[in-house]
Amino acid sequence: MTSFNEFDLADMPQRYRANFINSLSGFKSANLIGTQTANGVFNLAVFNSVFHLGANPPLLGMVFRPHTVRRDTLENILETQHYTINHIHKNMIKQAHQTSAKYDKDISEFTAVGLTPEIHGAFPAPYVQESKIKIGLQMREVLPVKSNDTQIMVGEIKEIHLAQQLLSPDGHVELDQAEGIAISGLDTYHLPQLLARFDYATPT
Amino acid sequence: MTSFNEFDLADMPQRYRANFINSLSGFKSANLIGTQTANGVFNLAVFNSVFHLGANPPLLGMVFRPHTVRRDTLENILETQHYTINHIHKNMIKQAHQTSAKYDKDISEFTAVGLTPEIHGAFPAPYVQESKIKIGLQMREVLPVKSNDTQIMVGEIKEIHLAQQLLSPDGHVELDQAEGIAISGLDTYHLPQLLARFDYATPT
C-alpha cells in the first residue's frame, strides 16, 4: 500500500492529478448527450458524469465544469430546456470519444464523428440512432457547487426508447446484454461482464 | 425498440419503476462508505452513487435519499465531518451487498458481514482493510435537491491509500487490475474488462 495526503495531492502536476482523482470515484457511466441550438444545429458530447438521483419522479444528474471552458451542451440545455442521454455501447467507443474534440460551434459532432441523429416526435433534442438505450429529459434545476464552481444539472426523464429484449420482467435493464460501457479516469473504456444479482438484503 | 412516456413511468408499480429507472444512468460505481458514531461504533454501507466532482480541489459527490428512511451514514458524517470511500472488488461483493441489510444501530456492519475495519493515524472514520483503493474525505457542503428532497454530499479528499501496482506512471489508477466492480440497477454486480484507452481527442 502507498499513501497520499492532501499536500501530496496539491503538489501533483495538473494532468497527473486529473488522471488520478478522476479514477478514484470508481467506474463511471458512459453516455452521449444530445442537444440542439436555437438555430437547430445538433450537438453531441460524451459525458462520464451522469448519475441516478431518484426513481419517483425519475431524475438524473450530470456535472458541468466551471464556465472557464466552452460548454455548448450546457448552453443548449439552458436555451431549449431539453436534452437526450444515449448509452454508449462497445461498437461506438471510438466515435463517442471523438465527440470530445473541440469542433467549431457550427459543426455538428454527429456529422464529424459519424453517428446518426434521430428525432422522436416533437422532442426538441436529437437522439443517437446507434444507441440501444435513449432517454429524453427536461431540465428541472441547476445546483451550483460552491466548493469548485461546478454545476449539477438535474433533469426529469420524459421518455425512454430502448431495445425491448434488454428489459427484464421486473424492470431491470440488462446493460451487459447491450454491451454497455463503463469509463474509468478520463479516457479509459471498459466492457462490464455480469457477475451476480443479489436479493434484497436482510440481517442474517 | 419500445418506448415509454412520462405517463407510462408514473403508472409503473413502484418496485418495477425503481429497477427500471435505476438502470438508466448506466453503470455505477461500487463503494463501501465507512463512518463512526460519536460513541465510536463503526458503520459500513454499500453505495452506488459516488461520483467525480472535480480534481482540484479533489472532490467527490454522493447521493442520500430523503429523510423518510434511517440514514446512519449521513448522520455520522454530519456529526464527525469525516468518512471513507472504499472500492469494492470481485471477492467482496457478497459482503458489500449484505451491508445494505437493516441492522440495529448498535451493531457494526463490519462485524455483521465479515469485513475488517482499519484505522489510519488520527483519521476519524474506519477504512475497509480488504479494499485496494481507500479514500478519506472531509465533508465540504450538502446540496439539497428540491426536485425530490434528496441531498448531495460533497466531500474533499484528504488522504488516499492504494495498492502501489495499480497506479500508472501518468496517474491513472487501473481499476480493472484491482478487479473493481460496476453496479447496474439496484443490485447487479459486474466485472469491467479493459477495452481501450484513447488519447486526448482533436478534430480530424
Side-chain angles (χ1 to χ4, degrees), chain A residues 8 25 162 192:
Chain A
D8 299 325
S25 60
L162 86 167

Side-chain angles (χ1 to χ4, degrees), chain B residues 5 9 53 58 64 97 111 116 120-121 162:
Chain B
N5 63 28
L9 294 177
L53 198 47
F64 285 94
H97 188 71
T111 314
T116 315
H120 280 269
L162 86 165

Side-chain angles (χ1 to χ4, degrees), chain A residues 91-103:
Chain A
N91 61 351
M92 297 160 60
I93 59 174
K94 263 196 173 168
Q95 294 104 308
H97 188 72
Q98 186 60 29
T99 63
S100 62
K102 287 180 180 61
Y103 293 102

Side-chain angles (χ1 to χ4, degrees), chain A residues 21-26 148, chain B residues 31 49-55 57-62 83 85 87 135-138 140-141 152-157:
Chain A
I21 302 298
N22 267 278
S23 304
L24 292 181
S25 60
N148 68 348
Chain B
N31 289 292
S49 69
V50 171
F51 62 93
H52 174 80
L53 198 47
L59 301 176
L60 298 176
M62 179 166 57
Y83 54 109
I85 294 179
H87 283 218
I135 310 158
L137 299 99
Q138 182 171 13
R140 280 287 290 261
E141 59 184 304
I152 296 175
M153 169 70 63
V154 176
E156 180 171 342
I157 297 175

Side-chain angles (χ1 to χ4, degrees), chain B residues 117-134:
Chain B
E118 181 178 283
I119 294 297
H120 280 269
F123 197 83
Y127 293 92
V128 177
Q129 190 183 84
E130 289 81 357
S131 179
K132 298 169 196 164
I133 302 167
K134 321 174 203 207

Side-chain angles (χ1 to χ4, degrees), chain A residues 2-4 6 19 24 87 97-98 141 147 158 160-162 170 187 189 191 193 195-196 199 202, chain B residues 2-4 6 19 24 87 97-98 141 147 158 160-162 170 189 191 193 195-197 199 202:
Chain A
T2 182
S3 297
F4 301 86
E6 55 188 313
N19 284 327
L24 292 181
H87 283 218
H97 188 72
Q98 186 60 29
E141 60 183 302
S147 305
K158 290 297 176 178
I160 298 156
H161 311 285
L162 86 167
D170 67 354
D187 49 21
Y189 291 71
L191 186 69
Q193 308 283 344
L195 277 182
D199 289 333
T202 52
Chain B
T2 183
S3 296
F4 302 86
E6 55 188 312
N19 283 328
L24 292 181
H87 283 218
H97 188 71
Q98 185 60 29
E141 59 184 304
S147 304
K158 291 294 179 181
I160 298 156
H161 310 285
L162 86 165
D170 68 354
Y189 291 70
L191 186 68
Q193 308 283 343
L195 277 182
R197 187 171 183 194
D199 289 333
T202 52

Side-chain angles (χ1 to χ4, degrees), chain A residues 65-77:
Chain A
R65 291 193 293 162
H67 228 311
T68 51
V69 291
R70 217 181 80 200
R71 302 184 298 176
D72 297 344
T73 299
L74 178 59
E75 282 155 28
N76 289 345
I77 296 173

Side-chain angles (χ1 to χ4, degrees), chain B residues 67 69-80 105:
Chain B
H67 230 312
V69 290
R70 216 182 78 200
R71 300 184 297 176
D72 297 344
T73 299
L74 178 59
E75 282 154 29
N76 289 347
I77 297 174
L78 293 174
E79 198 160 271
T80 68
K105 207 178 157 65

